[in-house]
Amino acid sequence: GENVEQHPSTLSVQEGDSAVIKCTYSDSASNYFPWYKQELGKRPQLIIDIRSNVGEKKDQRIAVTLNKTAKHFSLHITETQPEDSAVYFCAASKGGGADGLTFGKGTHLIIQP
Amino acid sequence: NAGVTQTPKFQVLKTGQSMTLQCAQDMNHEYMSWYRQDPGMGLRLIHYSVGAGITDQGEVPNGYNVSRSTTEDFPLRLLSAAPSQTSVYFCASRLLMGDTEAFFGQGTRLTVV
């Protein structure tokens, strides 16, 4: 089955700096890559996703890049703010049908004031 | 439109007891799933369903049963609780086809003593 590795497990950045979280996946058939943000005590919520026919997608301060050849994708957050502090999960799936999401182990992002 | 609703939010069980975690969604999603979240382990798939009457095992199914008698409901049963089942449980649903967002319930924090 699919295996998703996520790094780093903890990332501390100064407010206003950029943060990058990286994930690799093992199944070349995977074609859908969402990112979820989970605030303390809350449910995971989708913040951005990318499909395999796209190399990059941006939404305001967050962007995701995908390299299908290398089987890795990354989350980029620019101009970090205190409300960005959370745990971020990457995931991969073959997209729809019975195939579920395989999640990485998560990155705890800490924004230092 | 309530989305995905899980009950209870907190539960303490004694070893050997059984219980059912409830999950309901009102978005007419065909696909429903249960994940458990443990520190440093990310979200791991327990069981999933692609429609009423159809269920299948995920990555960590042992000790859990599910059924799907309606599109809306997908309960998770712990047959004989063990301390290793202490975790936070999330139900999630999405449309079956295409690359679509998975919506999560608010989670159930279960402690088995």
Side-chain angles (χ1 to χ4, degrees), chain A residues 18 34 37 40 78 85 113:
Chain A
S18 296
K37 175 183 180 182
L40 188 63
T78 58
S85 292

Side-chain angles (χ1 to χ4, degrees), chain A residues 4-5 21-25 32-35 50 64-67 70-76 89-92 102:
Chain A
V4 177
E5 299 282 343
I21 303 170
K22 299 182 179 183
C23 290
T24 61
Y25 60 98
Y32 175 60
F33 308 94
W35 286 87
I50 192 167
V64 58
T65 58
L66 171 66
N67 183 327
K71 289 191 280 190
H72 67 72
F73 55 113
S74 300
L75 178 72
H76 304 252
F89 292 97
C90 63
T102 300

Side-chain angles (χ1 to χ4, degrees), chain A residues 12-75:
Chain A
S12 182
V13 302
Q14 290 292 125
E15 183 178 348
D17 287 351
S18 296
V20 180
I21 303 170
K22 299 182 179 183
C23 290
T24 61
Y25 60 98
S26 61
D27 191 340
S28 56
S30 289
N31 57 15
Y32 175 60
F33 308 94
W35 286 87
Y36 284 80
K37 175 183 180 182
Q38 185 180 29
E39 297 176 348
L40 188 63
K42 301 288 183 65
R43 71 190 79 189
Q45 292 193 295
L46 181 73
I47 56 170
I48 195 167
D49 56 14
I50 192 167
R51 292 159 179 80
S52 60
N53 59 344
V54 175
E56 183 173 358
K57 183 177 179 180
K58 191 172 182 180
D59 183 3
Q60 299 182 344
R61 294 188 298 108
I62 61 172
V64 58
T65 58
L66 171 66
N67 183 327
K68 283 216 74 178
T69 302
K71 289 191 280 190
H72 67 72
F73 55 113
S74 300
L75 178 72

Side-chain angles (χ1 to χ4, degrees), chain B residues 3 5 23-29 32 52 68-75 91:
Chain B
T5 303
C23 176
Q25 52 90 13
D26 60 1
M27 297 174 283
N28 205 29
H29 287 170
M32 296 186 74
R68 184 94 179 269
S69 56
T70 66
T71 299
E72 294 78 19
D73 300 298
F74 190 46
C91 178

Side-chain angles (χ1 to χ4, degrees), chain A residues 31-32 34 36 38 41-47 49-52 87 89 93-106, chain B residues 2 4-5 9 31 35 37 40-45 48 50 59 90 94-107 109:
Chain A
N31 57 15
Y32 175 60
Y36 284 80
Q38 185 180 29
K42 301 288 183 65
R43 71 190 79 189
Q45 292 193 295
L46 181 73
I47 56 170
D49 56 14
I50 192 167
R51 292 159 179 80
S52 60
V87 178
F89 292 97
S93 87
K94 297 185 184 67
D99 189 60
L101 291 169
T102 300
F103 286 88
K105 289 183 167 52
Chain B
V4 181
T5 303
K9 196 165 184 180
Y31 187 99
Y35 290 88
Q37 183 175 27
M41 299 295 291
L43 292 145
R44 293 182 292 169
L45 183 65
Y48 67 93
V50 297
E59 180 186 354
F90 286 99
R94 62 169 172 81
L95 291 170
L96 183 61
M97 298 311 297
D99 306 328
T100 62
E101 177 180 357
F103 292 85
F104 285 82
Q106 73 266 39
R109 183 173 293 275

